Amino acid sequence: MYENIIFETSEGIATITLNRPQVYNALSSALIKEITKAVEIAANDESIRAIILTGSGDKAFCSGADLKAGMDSGFTSLGESLRENYNPMICAIRNAEKPVICRMNGVAAGAGMSLALACDLIIANKDAYMSELFVGIGLMPDAGSMFFLPRVVGMQKAFELCSTGRKIYMDEALGLGLVCKAVAYETLDETLSEIISYYKTAPTKAIGLMKKVLNQSFNCTVNEILEQEAQNQDILGKTHDFAEGVMAFLQKRKPVFKGK
């Protein structure tokens, strides 16, 4: 079914592994389409409580666009490639109403950095780095970086990182808020497991609607967000998890959420 990714599900968790280690998991058209399809399948599966996105090996999460493959893709323009491939992939991640966690096993560069930033949390290999290296070939960052980056680091720092394309090592990335945690590669899975253990038993419906409203928060007025909070709280007030949470609170026990 898949030739460029490994797609696995276990105990409510979907793991999507970019599997082109020979080119440092560079993004070809085929790989992008498979990522998009897998994210959409996981997002629509009620049994899945969280999605992990990672790369094979310990060198690179994703080195960006596969320029050689791109020359053979048949697209007549870079804009066409973005509209047909990259943009649907990023939208699939942001529209998934459940947490998408990047296990950044190695370097995230170019569109690979954009892909990581599109996730809700990044747990990184402390020996990795990030880079908006587009400027090195005379391009601007794409695949969402121009949206995500200034919202995390501010306009001035975003301009500096985009216009220089320099490497951002994990100590700096942590300080800027680009990653949630940076740990030794040997403990990456252990750290990720601790985080996933929370999300796979959390109120997934509530977290999904939080993500939906947060996606819109920078583009709305206070009054518009207040109304979205009210509308979505109405939805959540009718869920199993709200009833269970209240009952558990009254009974002084830990709630058992079903993500519904």
Side-chain angles (χ1 to χ4, degrees):
M1 185 176 183
Y2 298 105
E3 296 181 358
N4 299 278
I5 65 169
I6 300 170
F7 183 42
E8 302 168 303
T9 60
S10 177
E11 298 181 351
I13 305 301
T15 301
I16 301 166
T17 304
L18 284 60
N19 193 33
R20 302 184 75 218
Q22 70 279 11
V23 289
Y24 301 104
N25 301 318
L27 293 164
S28 64
S29 179
L31 173 56
I32 292 168
K33 289 184 184 302
E34 290 185 10
I35 294 169
T36 305
K37 181 178 181 180
V39 170
E40 289 174 344
I41 288 172
N44 291 317
D45 185 340
E46 289 191 358
S47 70
I48 299 300
R49 307 287 286 277
I51 302 167
I52 297 171
L53 189 62
T54 190
S56 58
D58 62 354
K59 300 296 183 184
F61 165 65
C62 177
S63 59
D66 187 332
L67 297 179
K68 185 176 184 299
M71 293 174 67
D72 302 326
S73 67
F75 286 112
T76 58
S77 73
L78 294 178
E80 181 186 4
S81 176
L82 289 170
R83 294 184 190 102
E84 293 295 321
N85 280 334
Y86 290 85
N87 295 359
M89 174 179 67
I90 300 303
C91 287
I93 293 169
R94 293 314 310 162
N95 293 335
E97 292 188 4
K98 51 192 65 174
V100 180
I101 300 170
C102 175
R103 175 186 176 273
M104 203 181 96
N105 53 298
V107 173
M113 179 170 173
S114 301
L115 181 59
L117 291 177
C119 298
D120 300 301
L121 293 175
I122 301 175
I123 312 303
N125 173 358
K126 70 178 181 65
D127 295 323
Y129 66 83
M130 309 172 89
S131 172
E132 295 283 12
L133 49 66
F134 298 86
V135 71
I137 55 171
L139 293 178
M140 63 180 284
D142 57 31
S145 269
M146 303 299 282
F147 179 88
F148 301 118
L149 194 61
R151 281 162 172 75
V152 176
V153 303
M155 192 66 72
Q156 184 173 179
K157 179 57 71 173
F159 176 80
E160 185 247 327
L161 296 176
C162 290
S163 62
T164 64
R166 67 174 178 81
K167 295 178 180 179
I168 311 157
Y169 292 100
M170 287 303 101
D171 285 347
E172 182 181 7
L174 273 171
L176 291 173
L178 286 169
V179 302
C180 180
K181 291 180 182 294
V183 299
Y185 181 79
E186 293 75 19
T187 61
L188 189 59
D189 288 329
E190 179 184 349
T191 303
L192 183 66
S193 178
E194 292 171 359
I195 292 170
I196 284 295
S197 67
Y198 165 75
Y199 283 109
K200 71 181 182 182
T201 59
T204 311
K205 182 71 173 178
I207 290 172
L209 292 184
M210 287 178 205
K211 178 176 175 178
K212 180 179 178 181
V213 176
L214 285 170
N215 279 342
Q216 302 172 47
S217 62
F218 283 90
N219 302 313
C220 293
T221 65
V222 172
N223 287 344
E224 288 169 338
I225 290 297
L226 289 171
E227 178 56 27
Q228 287 190 43
E229 289 173 349
Q231 290 176 7
N232 286 289
Q233 211 71 303
D234 267 342
I235 295 170
L236 293 172
K238 299 178 177 67
T239 62
H240 165 276
D241 285 349
F242 172 68
E244 166 62 12
V246 172
M247 186 62 69
F249 176 81
L250 295 174
Q251 295 176 350
K252 297 181 179 180
R253 61 174 174 82
K254 184 177 179 180
V256 180
F257 294 124
K258 294 185 177 180
K260 299 179 181 179

